Amino acid sequence: MNSLNKTPPNPRSIRERANEIIFVLVLCLGQFLSLAGIMQTVSPVLILANYFDIHDYGSLSWFSAAYSLTVGTFILPAGRVGDMYGHKRVLTAGWAWFAIWSFACGFCSSKQLVLFSVFRAFQGIGPALVIPNAIAIIGRTFPVGLKRNIAFACFSAAGPTGAALGAVMAALVAETISWHWCFRLLGISCALLVPVSHWIIPNPDLPFPLDSEEPPQFDWPGAVTGMVGLVLVNFSLNQAPLIGWTEPYVLILFAIGLSSLAAFAWVEFRVAAQPIIPMRGLQRSAAFALACVFAGWSSHGIWVYYFYIFLEHLRGQSALISSVEMTPAAVTGVCFAFLAVWLMRRVAVSCVMFFSMCFFALGSLLMATAPLRQTYWGQTFFAVALIPGAMNLSFPAATILLSSALPKEKQGIAASLVATVVNYSISCGLGLAGSIHKQAAIYAAQENGLQGDPPALSVTNPQLVTVRLFGLRSAYWFSVALGVLGMVIAAVFLLVQRFGADESGRTRRDEARKSVAESEKMDVEYGPKKLPKVSTSSTTFYIGDKIIEDMKQHKFSVTVGH
């Protein structure tokens, strides 16, 4: 009898839930394909080296560094353009751009080494347009509550999943067909997402926030000085391993880049009415968070690139086998993404940041000390399983730290600013590690009696393996040092926050956590009519606008918890 009295499922409710799942899935593809894109030149690294007849790791690293450079450089301007002209429009344009330059990469010949790196740089602008606007759309669609937390957790989990599966697909296609088809298939996927995004993402996409007194303006002086500075500094760091720091134009470009970044800071502080980065309103915790992210993710970029060099070039494995050995990261990545949601409600966010820095350092340490002939199930497996903890704990933790450090009306840039530093630091880390690797390899070659220019990477013998392994371990030890640096920064910040809090602050934190728990009970229907009256200010991870606002009113930070 009781079973007869049960209310049957509401078909409309089921349909709306299915629409929500598809909607979040389409937006998560931005993060998924962004990470898959960088792996296109990482997992088939030796296939590309043989095709372009490359003799050093520095030239190979440019393929990935160029992509990360433009992703990191253009994310913040892309988010502002989305505020001005509509996030859906910019995201759709980003998929089209991603498709065009993926096809361009897929038609490069063996004589177009430099052109291929240039095309990779242009390709990276595509995900830079997609990622911040996907984050903004999620935040503007789902009000504070459990649905938003789950949506952002899925978006975060798409990162390591895309990296792992993208590496497998790139290796499989490169080995069985041609590496060119890795890019062509990505181009086809991005092209298909143009109409899919237009159809799935709800309208209307408001061009600027409803509670804004005036529409957002684009900060041209800040954008130009910032982008020029970021590009020139990064170019110098990645070009130096190829030709050395003594080359005049490398030093000149590096100096111009630093000067441009100084001009950017002055513009943002003194000139811009609507700055890209609201430096005037940043608090101390923002500097700590961004410093941790830069150190940790610089370490991670080195870890990923040299992981495949180690397995394929020194252990002699195929690109496909090496990529399959990376797949546990997809599983643990999802687990760590949802673990982050659980941890944020129970421990201080600064503690979570410290844990993530420990994972960065530990993952690099395991690879730096891994014996060449050791089984995969030794240190390599544990490094692969643990490294997603660094990724999926640091990103949401940094976003919350920035959210609590920014003025209420500037909450929206938190996730975009973190994404900028994440991608830019990967490229910088590769450049710095390349210089260390080159000098270490030169030293090892002299110690082993090798003279002249290095041979092609396809050439191997016991002496060359010894030299290459010494250079690789030197790069990995630099990665360990960056991870430890992140731990130190996070520990200092944790101590500052812990001993700087008073009893009233602890009471308010308890109230805030209670509000978070209550907000997760909300079950607001999905739909364009439920757009919160905010711009990208609702794009913070795992914490709501109301909670941040309460913290601002009580003058304490969510980052301080006990």
Side-chain angles (χ1 to χ4, degrees), residues 423-503:
N423 287 279
Y424 190 76
S425 62
I426 290 174
S427 187
C428 289
L430 286 174
L432 292 170
S435 294
I436 293 173
H437 174 269
K438 181 178 181 179
Q439 295 304 315
I442 291 174
Y443 171 79
Q446 293 173 347
E447 291 293 311
N448 285 271
L450 298 178
Q451 303 294 330
D453 295 331
L457 294 179
S458 57
V459 178
T460 186
N461 58 55
Q463 280 186 310
L464 285 175
V465 170
T466 300
V467 170
R468 290 164 177 167
L469 182 60
F470 184 82
L472 180 141
R473 291 200 191 284
S474 299
Y476 261 129
W477 280 113
F478 177 61
S479 178
V480 174
L482 288 171
V484 172
L485 176 61
M487 291 173 59
V488 171
I489 296 171
V492 170
F493 179 55
L494 184 61
L495 292 174
V496 170
Q497 292 289 84
R498 182 180 184 88
F499 291 106
D502 57 16
E503 189 62 34

Side-chain angles (χ1 to χ4, degrees), residues 263-469:
F264 169 76
W266 179 78
V267 168
E268 301 301 277
F269 266 114
R270 302 291 185 183
V271 178
Q274 295 186 17
I276 294 178
I277 300 177
M279 292 186 176
R280 291 188 292 266
L282 285 179
Q283 298 177 12
R284 180 177 54 192
S285 56
F288 277 104
L290 294 179
C292 285
V293 169
F294 190 90
W297 282 83
S298 294
S299 170
H300 181 66
I302 298 167
W303 186 93
V304 173
Y305 175 70
Y306 285 99
F307 177 84
Y308 284 92
I309 293 290
F310 181 67
L311 295 187
E312 296 179 27
H313 200 206
L314 299 181
R315 283 188 175 175
Q317 298 179 179
S318 68
L320 183 58
I321 294 299
S322 300
S323 299
V324 169
E325 290 183 352
M326 179 64 91
T327 53
V331 178
T332 58
V334 173
C335 296
F336 278 115
F338 285 92
L339 175 64
V341 179
W342 183 84
L343 281 175
M344 296 302 172
R345 297 181 61 239
R346 288 164 175 82
V347 300
V349 182
S350 48
C351 285
V352 177
M353 178 64 81
F354 178 78
F355 297 153
S356 70
M357 295 299 111
C358 293
F359 283 125
F360 279 124
L362 181 58
S364 295
L365 180 63
L366 288 171
M367 293 306 301
T369 58
L372 184 60
R373 303 304 173 192
Q374 186 186 53
T375 175
Y376 165 76
W377 299 105
Q379 292 171 233
T380 307
F381 169 75
F382 287 103
V384 170
L386 292 176
I387 206 66
M391 302 167 63
N392 284 352
L393 294 181
S394 63
F395 195 98
T399 305
I400 292 179
L401 286 168
L402 257 72
S403 297
S404 61
L406 287 166
K408 189 183 90 173
E409 68 275 9
K410 298 293 184 180
Q411 292 288 308
I413 73 162
S416 294
L417 185 55
V418 174
T420 294
V421 177
V422 163
N423 287 279
Y424 190 76
S425 62
I426 290 174
S427 187
C428 289
L430 286 174
L432 292 170
S435 294
I436 293 173
H437 174 269
K438 181 178 181 179
Q439 295 304 315
I442 291 174
Y443 171 79
Q446 293 173 347
E447 291 293 311
N448 285 271
L450 298 178
Q451 303 294 330
D453 295 331
L457 294 179
S458 57
V459 178
T460 186
N461 58 55
Q463 280 186 310
L464 285 175
V465 170
T466 300
V467 170
R468 290 164 177 167
L469 182 60

Side-chain angles (χ1 to χ4, degrees), residues 229-244:
L230 291 174
V231 169
L232 292 183
V233 168
N234 196 283
F235 176 85
S236 303
L237 292 177
N238 282 281
Q239 189 69 0
L242 300 179
I243 61 176

